[in-house]
């Protein structure tokens, strides 16, 4: 899996034919030879040609800021170090995409390529960047569609990204376009992220193996009393050094509902040998089950006798208390 992610960041994502005009407008037509190859290699070649056709420059990584909403959770240091070593050895093969900062002259905001930017900065080099004028909405579409094409964002990364975009005031339609999913899927993503505090999600991380159903179940489990406090304590103390998937499993299992111990039913046999009833004696209740086949009408008789039995019970309790008081 780590190798797959390394290669995904060393080569550009496929730019699909239905990308928004914000991504493809004013781009020169790639050379015809770039479209001869087919499959994965062909997609890489086409992406390289399209990126090269843009305005490529080298920038100081320190003048590039993150956008208002980022779509990725932090990866493990081990995976990053492996990727950074690849960048240091072979250089940066694919430019990142940035726009001029909307409010700070001389600075930029990154649309995608954060891992590449971080790795190049660690290597002490200038970063190759494609510079494009983009609105906030165009940046989000470029960011989302690049990662959707690569298909390596985990479920919870998409959920948190969707929820934070909506919190920032962006429309559901824009989120649908950025992630390439339908309206129902976006609603489900936002609902899941809203039920688990963002700090807990970030401490767990992307957990790529978890999947939608287990994250939804985790959301259910975090709603129990004291569950979030327990999860935060585990994440801060006991789970340091664990991978994101290992942290998820530990929290998922740690918040599992406590299984109730099963109390075995005991058989009650009358003096005549008839097995008339079973009973369960639990902490707060005594359950009596009458066998209608073994003792027909015994249950009905018992119900009619309950008032008298209860009066006898009260009288016996009163007598016992009076005797204790006189001693």
């Amino acid at each position: 899996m780590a190798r797959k992610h390394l290669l995904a960041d060393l080569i550009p994502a496929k730019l699909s034919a239905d990308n928004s005009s914000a991504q493809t407008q004013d781009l020169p037509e790639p050379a015809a030879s770039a479209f001869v190859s087919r499959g994965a290699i062909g997609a890489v070649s086409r992406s390289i040609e399209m990126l090269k056709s843009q305005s490529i420059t080298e920038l100081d990584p320190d003048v590039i800021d993150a956008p208002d909403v980022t779509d990725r959770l932090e990866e493990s240091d081990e995976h990053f170090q492996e990727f950074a070593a690849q960048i240091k050895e072979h250089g940066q093969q694919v430019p990142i995409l940035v726009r001029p900062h909307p409010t700070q002259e001389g600075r930029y905001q990154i649309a995608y390529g954060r891992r590449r930017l971080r790795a190049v900065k660690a290597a002490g080099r200038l970063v190759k960047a494609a510079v494009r004028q983009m609105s906030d909405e165009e940046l989000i579409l470029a960011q989302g569609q690049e990662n959707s094409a690569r298909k390596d964002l985990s479920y919870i990364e998409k959920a948190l990204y969707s929820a934070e975009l909506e919190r920032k005031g962006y429309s559901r339609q824009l989120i649908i376009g950025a992630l390439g999913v339908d309206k129902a899927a976006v609603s489900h993503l936002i609902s899941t992220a809203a039920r688990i505090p963002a700090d807990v999600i970030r401490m767990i991380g992307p957990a790529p193996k978890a999947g939608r159903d287990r994250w939804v179940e985790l959301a259910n489990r975090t709603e129990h009393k004291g569950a979030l406090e327990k999860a935060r304590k585990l994440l801060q103390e006991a789970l340091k050094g664990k991978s994101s998937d290992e942290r998820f499993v530990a929290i998922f299992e740690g918040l599992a509902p406590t299984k109730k111990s099963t109390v075995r039913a005991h058989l009650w046999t009358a003096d005549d040998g008839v097995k008339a009833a079973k009973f369960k004696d639990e902490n707060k209740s005594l359950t009596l089950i009458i066998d209608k086949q073994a003792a027909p009408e015994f249950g009905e008789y018992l119900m009619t006798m309950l008032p008298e039995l209860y009066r006898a019970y009260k009288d016996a309790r009163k007598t016992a208390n009076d005797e204790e008081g006189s001693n």
Side-chain angles (χ1 to χ4, degrees):
M1 183 61 70
R3 178 65 58 190
K4 176 184 175 184
H5 283 202
L6 290 173
L7 293 175
D9 273 309
L10 285 169
I11 62 177
K14 173 183 170 186
L15 298 180
S16 59
D18 60 351
N19 276 1
S20 72
S21 60
Q23 289 183 281
T24 58
Q25 64 184 2
D26 300 327
L27 296 182
E29 191 69 26
S33 60
F35 291 89
V36 174
S37 300
R38 293 292 183 265
I41 300 300
V44 170
S45 300
R46 290 193 294 273
S47 296
I48 290 175
E49 290 302 321
M50 296 183 81
L51 281 168
K52 284 181 177 178
S53 70
Q54 301 179 55
S55 172
I56 306 297
T57 188
E58 290 189 332
L59 299 173
D60 181 346
D62 288 332
V63 303
I64 302 175
D65 300 322
D68 289 341
V69 181
T70 57
D71 55 347
R72 288 189 176 275
L73 296 172
E74 292 301 323
E75 65 179 328
S76 71
D77 188 62
E78 178 184 355
H79 287 175
F80 172 73
Q81 292 302 331
E82 187 177 353
F83 174 69
Q86 293 274 348
I87 291 286
K88 189 171 184 179
E89 180 179 356
H90 301 290
Q92 179 192 355
Q93 303 300 312
V94 181
I96 65 173
L97 178 62
V98 302
R99 70 169 177 175
H101 200 289
T103 60
Q104 299 182 44
E105 188 175 353
R107 300 192 66 82
Y108 300 85
Q109 275 187 332
I110 188 169
Y112 57 74
R114 289 169 57 209
R115 295 177 80 235
R116 275 167 271 164
L117 174 64
R118 185 182 168 198
V120 170
K121 183 176 180 179
R125 300 177 182 177
L126 297 177
V127 64
K128 297 174 185 176
V131 181
R132 183 189 301 167
Q133 290 287 348
M134 290 180 284
S135 66
D136 291 346
E137 290 78 9
E138 289 167 339
L139 183 144
I140 289 166
L141 284 172
Q143 181 184 65
Q145 290 178 359
E146 190 262 356
N147 282 316
S148 293
R150 286 168 51 180
K151 301 184 185 299
D152 63 348
L153 280 183
S154 70
Y155 173 80
I156 201 62
E157 285 180 306
K158 292 179 182 178
L160 188 60
Y161 182 53
S162 301
E164 292 192 355
L165 284 175
E166 183 167 76
R167 186 173 59 82
K168 291 281 187 178
Y170 293 105
S171 69
R172 288 280 177 103
Q173 198 59 40
L174 179 67
I175 301 171
I176 290 169
L179 292 179
V181 297
D182 60 27
K183 183 177 180 181
V186 166
S187 296
H188 203 286
L189 288 165
I190 291 174
S191 172
T192 303
R195 295 173 61 199
I196 307 174
D199 68 302
V200 173
I201 294 175
R202 294 186 185 282
M203 283 191 284
I204 293 173
K209 296 180 182 178
R212 162 181 159 167
D213 291 345
R214 294 175 78 197
W215 274 105
V216 172
E217 175 57 26
L218 181 63
N220 294 335
R221 295 180 182 186
T222 60
E223 292 174 350
H224 297 160
K225 185 177 180 181
L228 287 174
E229 291 76 6
K230 182 178 180 180
R232 290 187 175 103
K233 186 175 181 180
L234 280 171
L235 289 164
Q236 290 170 353
E237 298 176 4
L239 299 179
K240 289 182 178 179
K242 301 287 187 181
S243 71
S244 179
D245 281 310
E246 288 172 335
R247 291 194 295 271
F248 178 89
V249 170
I251 296 302
F252 189 80
E253 293 178 350
L255 300 186
T258 304
K259 293 182 179 180
K260 294 182 179 179
S261 58
T262 303
V263 178
R264 193 174 56 138
H266 299 278
L267 183 65
W268 181 79
T269 305
D271 292 340
D272 59 2
V274 176
K275 299 174 181 179
K278 292 181 180 180
F279 66 93
K280 289 183 180 181
D281 191 357
E282 301 178 83
N283 290 335
K284 295 183 178 180
S285 64
L286 176 66
T287 305
L288 183 64
I289 304 169
I290 305 299
D291 188 334
K292 289 185 176 182
Q293 289 184 334
E297 300 179 357
F298 176 54
E300 295 178 13
Y301 174 76
L302 183 62
M303 292 301 298
T304 61
M305 294 297 294
L306 273 180
E308 185 176 336
L309 288 170
Y310 189 74
R311 282 194 296 271
Y313 156 76
K314 294 287 287 185
D315 290 343
R317 287 289 301 267
K318 184 176 184 303
T319 301
N321 290 336
D322 290 344
E323 289 177 355
E324 287 180 6
S326 62
N327 291 336

